[in-house]
Amino acid sequence: MIGVIGGTGNTGRAVVKALKEKGSEFRCLVRDPEAAKKLFGEVVELEYGDVSDHSSVEKGLEGCEKLFLLTGHSPALAEQEIGTIQAAKRAGVNYIVKLSGGDAVATEDCPSLIGRSHWQIEQALKESGLEWTILRPGFFMQNLINTAGMVKGQSKVMMPISSTVKIAMIDVNDTGDVAAEVLTKPGHESMTYFLSGHAYTLEDFTSILSNELGSDIPYLEIPLEAAVKAMKERDMPDWLIDHQSALMGIVNSGIAGTTNDHIANLSGHAPSTLEQFVKNHIDLFKN
Ligand SMILES: NC(=O)c1ccc[n+]([C@@H]2O[C@H](COP(=O)([O-])OP(=O)(O)OC[C@H]3O[C@@H](n4cnc5c(N)ncnc54)[C@H](OP(=O)(O)O)[C@@H]3O)[C@@H](O)[C@H]2O)c1
């Protein structure tokens, strides 16, 4: 039995879909079982489990030998996931697949708390005595959906990222396929995989979007200060603004543009392209 934590989120839903396609036995630990039942219907086994309450995780994982571990952004990320690794071990889990930050972010000295937290969790997992695999996805294509309001309201995309810098972008569905493969086939123990997809600039994104919409959507690089001001106006917490600002700096340095073949080698299919992604989600960008 495979336990899945984070199954209701962007990546987790893709992991659930891929495990279902493989016919695997799995159980999602969720903090709101009623909401999860509405999302998945009766076909997915659900159990209560909140990563802030490690005893609920231990109980919910009884009978699971494997665990897919992902939680959302939180300043308590390290405490939540390190406690969850220990609770999973007590429950009898012997193999954990952790969804981490990308190679440029999950570092000991990352300027973002979230990046440093991912690095600390990775170390704790490696020292836990359990078998492990770490998946380090790059920039999610799904992040680009956040620009839909700007596209619909102002017919442009503005971000504090250089128009010429390449970013390795991944569709969460590819991460789901890789995770399901790693969870169900042996040979990935003690491996860390950076999942890169193809690399694009944000001008590539707006050019694909312009083609699909049939109208010109320019990309404009704005100063980081302007983006921080907008995030403050949206009442974003300081730790999240710091995380987003750190990410922009990392992306602008160019180190988030490295690509490799892990998605193709692990999932058996080529990584999704940005053209496919924009086509699949074009209605979200239309008024
Ligand atoms: N965005 C990027 O470009 C990017 C790139 C690389 C890595 N990452 C990493 O990917 C992760 C986010 O992935 P995502 O976008 O797929 O996540 P997401 O959509 O935000 O989903 C988070 C999941 O975690 C669950 N969760 C949150 N708090 C929980 C708790 N206390 N107990 C139990 N479950 C809890 C949520 O459940 P509910 O349904 O109850 O909310 C949800 O299923 C982060 O760790 C981030 O650092 C992101």
Side-chain angles (χ1 to χ4, degrees):
M1 172 69 82
I2 301 168
V4 174
I5 295 181
T8 55
N10 293 315
T11 310
R13 288 195 302 276
V15 175
V16 165
K17 178 171 166 275
L19 285 174
K20 265 167 49 184
E21 281 166 9
K22 281 187 182 289
S24 308
E25 259 206 314
F26 67 95
R27 173 194 306 156
C28 288
L29 258 64
V30 293
R31 53 183 170 173
D32 186 342
E34 279 311 308
K37 203 168 168 181
K38 279 191 195 132
L39 180 69
F40 295 127
E42 301 288 341
V43 287
V44 172
E45 185 179 329
L46 299 171
E47 195 63 59
Y48 172 74
D50 187 320
V51 294
S52 306
D53 168 7
H54 301 139
S55 62
S56 74
V57 173
E58 185 176 343
K59 189 163 176 296
L61 287 176
E62 269 171 25
C64 294
E65 307 87 47
K66 301 179 185 180
L67 171 64
F68 174 78
L69 175 58
L70 174 159
T71 55
H73 284 155
S74 162
L77 179 64
E79 192 192 328
Q80 289 176 335
E81 289 201 7
I82 291 171
T84 293
I85 292 166
Q86 291 157 354
K89 189 175 178 179
R90 291 195 297 276
V93 167
N94 52 45
Y95 175 51
I96 296 183
V97 176
K98 172 182 161 48
L99 194 293
S100 190
D103 272 5
V105 176
T107 60
E108 187 172 14
D109 56 357
C110 181
S112 145
L113 170 65
I114 301 295
R116 293 194 302 280
S117 298
H118 276 309
W119 188 86
Q120 286 165 13
I121 299 159
E122 290 186 0
Q123 305 317 304
L125 181 55
K126 290 174 183 176
E127 289 161 12
S128 66
L130 300 174
E131 298 286 3
W132 55 269
T133 302
I134 292 165
L135 302 181
R136 289 179 153 195
F139 180 96
F140 295 1
M141 288 182 189
Q142 277 71 10
N143 296 339
L144 297 171
I145 292 173
N146 295 331
T147 66
M150 248 186 269
V151 172
K152 289 191 281 191
Q154 302 174 58
S155 300
K156 59 188 169 193
V157 171
M158 296 178 292
M159 288 171 77
I161 293 177
S162 158
S163 59
T164 54
V165 75
K166 292 257 186 198
I167 312 168
M169 295 192 195
I170 180 165
D171 188 314
V172 295
N173 289 302
D174 291 345
T175 309
D177 290 346
V178 168
E181 185 67 15
V182 165
L183 282 161
T184 54
K185 302 262 173 65
H188 303 291
E189 299 81 5
S190 306
M191 298 298 290
T192 299
Y193 296 118
F194 173 55
L195 305 175
S196 76
H198 304 287
Y200 301 92
T201 65
L202 288 169
E203 256 182 13
D204 292 335
F205 167 56
T206 52
S207 144
I208 295 166
L209 198 55
S210 301
N211 274 343
E212 286 299 321
L213 290 173
S215 63
D216 187 34
I217 307 292
Y219 175 72
L220 300 175
E221 181 185 352
I222 55 167
L224 181 59
E225 297 71 37
V228 168
K229 186 166 171 280
M231 287 189 269
K232 284 194 167 140
E233 280 165 8
R234 295 207 303 275
D235 281 335
M236 232 185 225
D238 286 344
W239 63 267
L240 192 51
I241 295 177
D242 289 348
H243 172 63
Q244 297 293 356
S245 305
L247 284 189
M248 307 300 175
I250 288 168
V251 168
N252 275 326
S253 76
I255 54 170
T258 313
T259 59
N260 61 43
D261 295 331
H262 287 326
I263 292 178
N265 293 340
L266 292 164
S267 73
H269 61 73
S272 304
T273 64
L274 192 55
E275 286 84 352
Q276 283 165 337
F277 175 82
V278 171
K279 264 188 214 302
N280 292 345
H281 296 87
I282 195 64
D283 286 346
L284 299 174
F285 296 90
K286 287 180 181 166
N287 277 307

